[in-house]
Amino acid sequence: MGYDIMSFRNNIGICISLCEQELQNRKKGIKGESSIEQIEDTILPELNQLLKKIDYGQLPPKPERYLLSFANAFKVWGWNMQQPTELFVQLVKLDDAYKKI
C-alpha cells in the first residue's frame, strides 16, 4: 500500500486533534492513558515539528524516520497495547506511514 505526503499530513492533523481532545479531558479531570505532560511536552511538539518538516521539504532520510512519541508510548510510558486508545492507534499508524513516505 502506497502512502502519499498529503494523506500523511492529514493524518498528522487527525492525531493533533485527538491530542487536543485528550488534553482537554485531562484538564477537566477526566482520566486517560496519556498525561498532560506527555501530550504538551512530547507528542504535540513532535507532530507540529513534523508538519514544518513536510512544509519545508526537510524530512530526514527514510532510515532515520521514526516518531519519538510512538517509541515513548510503547516503551517508556507503558501505554496498553492490548486495549489501545485511539491516540495510540493513530501514533502507530503515523509511525508506520512516516517510514514509508
Side-chain angles (χ1 to χ4, degrees):
M1 171 189 232
Y3 294 92
D4 66 77
I5 199 75
M6 289 311 296
S7 294
F8 181 64
R9 194 177 199 300
N10 289 338
N11 288 334
I12 293 170
I14 290 167
C15 201
I16 288 172
S17 294
L18 284 171
C19 285
E20 291 168 349
Q21 181 181 359
E22 289 290 309
L23 192 56
Q24 290 306 312
N25 287 345
R26 296 304 93 71
K27 290 182 177 184
K28 291 177 183 175
I30 300 170
K31 299 215 183 276
E33 193 162 49
S34 59
S35 71
I36 291 172
E37 293 78 19
Q38 292 166 349
I39 295 169
E40 287 183 335
D41 297 344
T42 304
I43 302 171
L44 281 174
E46 180 177 39
L47 295 177
N48 285 315
Q49 185 65 23
L50 189 51
L51 287 175
K52 288 180 185 176
K53 287 179 182 180
I54 290 169
D55 290 346
Y56 293 105
Q58 298 176 336
L59 292 177
K62 284 186 180 184
E64 297 174 21
R65 293 182 192 174
Y66 65 91
L67 293 179
L68 181 61
S69 299
F70 166 71
N72 282 342
F74 180 66
K75 294 183 178 185
V76 179
W77 302 329
W79 288 7
N80 186 343
M81 294 184 317
Q82 303 305 317
Q83 296 177 329
T85 62
E86 189 175 354
L87 178 55
F88 185 77
V89 170
Q90 287 302 317
L91 286 173
V92 170
K93 288 179 182 178
L94 278 179
D95 186 66
D96 184 56
Y98 189 30
K99 293 172 185 170
K100 296 176 181 176
I101 58 165

